[in-house]
Amino acid sequence: GWQERGSKSLALAGLAFGLAAGTKSTVALALPGLALAALLLVFLPGRSAAQPSGEQPVNRLASRLRPGLSRLGVILASGLAAFILFGMFIYAQNQLAYGNPLSVPQWTGELLKSDLSKSERLAKNLLLYTFQAADLTGLPAVIRQPLAEFEANLVQAAVQRLPALQGARFGRWLTQLNRILYGPQTVHEDQAWFGPLFLLLFLPAALIQAIQGLRQRDPLRLGLLGLTFGFLLTQAYVQEWSPYKGRYFVLVVPLAMPLLLPWLELRGLAGRLARWGIVILSLLVISVTVLTNYMKPLSGPNAIWKLDDIRIRTINHPSFEPVLRAVEANVPTEASLAT
């Protein structure tokens, strides 16, 4: 909607963001990237924008910025209205219940707590998020295993060469890292990211878009890149790493998908081979993931068709199974339990 004459699409975009802000407080992690994208859209009009002449420099600057500022104003106004009317409800509830708009203060403080300095945490998290973005989930074991070993050795070599990542303070996350580097290579929904296609497609496309965006002074391309990598830097700077943070990136990855356009613009034999390769690999990853997902396997010795409901519910936490079976066997159906 940014390039359209009317403001309906911009108002809808603001409305969507205001509603999204009310779904989960982690939307705040996108704010720095969104602010960077907004600055680029307003202050970088692009080569094709008309440059007023014969005016004072201040008037010329105002004329150049006015269209972008007015569009940004529509987004902010509709987004703020949607947030006040609908989105802020959960924050008001939290404030009344816990004295904190985000959540229980102790939980929020623990989430942001770290023994590392900000720079140490940023360096460590960027390394580990890059490793996890090279996600091998969905590849057949015969392909995944050697790639996982190569990836593990690469990450370990990088960790050993960074003095900031050594010492007793790093013991806790090193234990978690070694577990996912050298543990069983299972298809696990808690640790999976976006599959092998994501990094293969996204990194080359992002590089091409960055080069074209800088050459053409294109605020849309650069704004999308700013939003995407701004989110990554914010997440890496604010929160401590764990193997299960991939879900946070669900917020920004769909917004970054237009950056993959260069793959659709390939022509001739190269374009056909690329598109067929993407389709075949996608189908392979989907099939392997659906059939062998650790939490809900459809094939193999732990296929859910062979398990009862208690085993299915505790497949990710086997230690809970005897407790649930004891409750099922000894507690009457109409009884209530309390802890």
Side-chain angles (χ1 to χ4, degrees):
W2 193 266
Q3 294 180 315
E4 297 176 2
R5 290 184 177 274
S7 57
K8 290 182 179 179
S9 296
L10 296 175
L12 287 173
L15 176 66
F17 183 77
L19 294 174
T23 59
K24 199 171 184 182
S25 57
T26 48
V27 73
L29 295 170
L31 292 180
L34 283 168
L36 177 58
L39 288 174
L40 289 168
L41 288 168
V42 171
F43 288 95
L44 191 67
R47 287 182 175 177
S48 59
Q51 300 295 323
S53 58
E55 293 182 310
Q56 294 295 327
V58 174
N59 294 335
R60 191 179 305 132
L61 179 63
S63 299
R64 193 181 73 173
L65 297 183
R66 190 176 296 115
L69 288 173
S70 64
R71 292 185 180 94
L72 183 60
V74 171
I75 295 176
L76 291 176
S78 61
L80 184 61
F83 179 72
I84 291 174
L85 290 173
F86 307 105
M88 69 179 298
F89 177 70
I90 60 168
Y91 301 98
Q93 277 190 316
N94 286 337
Q95 182 65 40
L96 292 173
Y98 311 118
N100 185 302
L102 299 180
S103 181
V104 179
Q106 294 85 347
W107 183 86
T108 304
E110 187 66 26
L111 186 66
L112 303 178
K113 181 181 177 182
S114 176
D115 297 331
L116 314 180
S117 69
K118 295 291 187 181
S119 60
E120 288 175 329
R121 180 162 63 187
L122 180 63
K124 171 179 69 69
N125 287 351
L126 286 176
L127 169 65
L128 297 179
Y129 285 142
T130 302
F131 149 64
Q132 285 193 284
D135 186 15
L136 303 177
T137 298
L139 292 177
V142 66
I143 300 174
R144 182 178 182 178
Q145 195 62 41
L147 289 177
E149 291 176 4
F150 172 77
E151 195 176 36
N153 293 334
L154 199 63
V155 174
Q156 284 289 7
V159 169
Q160 292 168 6
R161 283 168 173 75
L162 291 175
L165 302 185
Q166 308 302 320
R169 292 177 302 160
F170 300 91
R172 178 167 54 88
W173 71 263
L174 276 173
T175 301
Q176 291 182 313
L177 176 62
N178 287 331
R179 189 164 61 245
I180 63 172
L181 286 179
Y182 300 108
Q185 296 297 314
T186 57
V187 178
H188 201 295
E189 59 193 43
D190 289 343
Q191 294 178 199
W193 273 47
F194 300 95
L197 272 171
F198 174 71
L199 207 63
L200 286 174
L201 299 181
F202 182 76
L203 278 186
L207 180 61
I208 293 170
Q209 298 284 22
I211 293 171
Q212 292 181 346
L214 291 171
R215 285 179 176 173
Q216 301 172 14
R217 293 173 55 84
D218 185 345
L220 293 175
R221 295 175 194 263
L222 297 177
L224 272 176
L225 288 166
L227 169 62
T228 304
F229 288 99
F231 183 93
L232 170 62
L233 289 171
T234 304
Q235 170 70 16
Y237 185 78
V238 170
Q239 286 194 13
E240 187 55 88
W241 173 85
S242 82
Y244 316 111
K245 291 287 173 61
R247 65 187 188 278
Y248 285 87
F249 291 85
V250 171
L251 175 64
V252 72
V253 166
L255 298 178
M257 285 301 98
L259 294 172
L260 299 182
L261 187 61
W263 292 102
L264 299 179
E265 293 177 334
L266 286 174
R267 296 290 181 263
L269 179 61
R272 289 195 295 273
L273 289 176
R275 284 188 285 275
W276 274 108
I278 291 169
V279 169
I280 292 171
L281 185 55
S282 298
L283 292 173
L284 176 65
V285 168
I286 290 172
S287 301
V288 173
T289 301
V290 170
L291 291 173
T292 65
N293 178 3
Y294 179 81
M295 299 283 286
K296 307 174 188 69
L298 300 185
S299 63
N302 288 324
I304 56 175
W305 321 114
K306 306 173 185 177
L307 309 177
D308 62 15
D309 61 333
I310 291 180
R311 183 70 182 92
I312 291 173
R313 281 184 285 166
T314 60
I315 195 168
N316 199 39
H317 300 284
S319 60
F320 290 174
E321 183 178 349
V323 177
L324 284 183
R325 293 200 182 279
V327 170
E328 185 75 17
N330 299 298
V331 177
T333 305
E334 63 276 5
S336 298
L337 293 178
T339 58

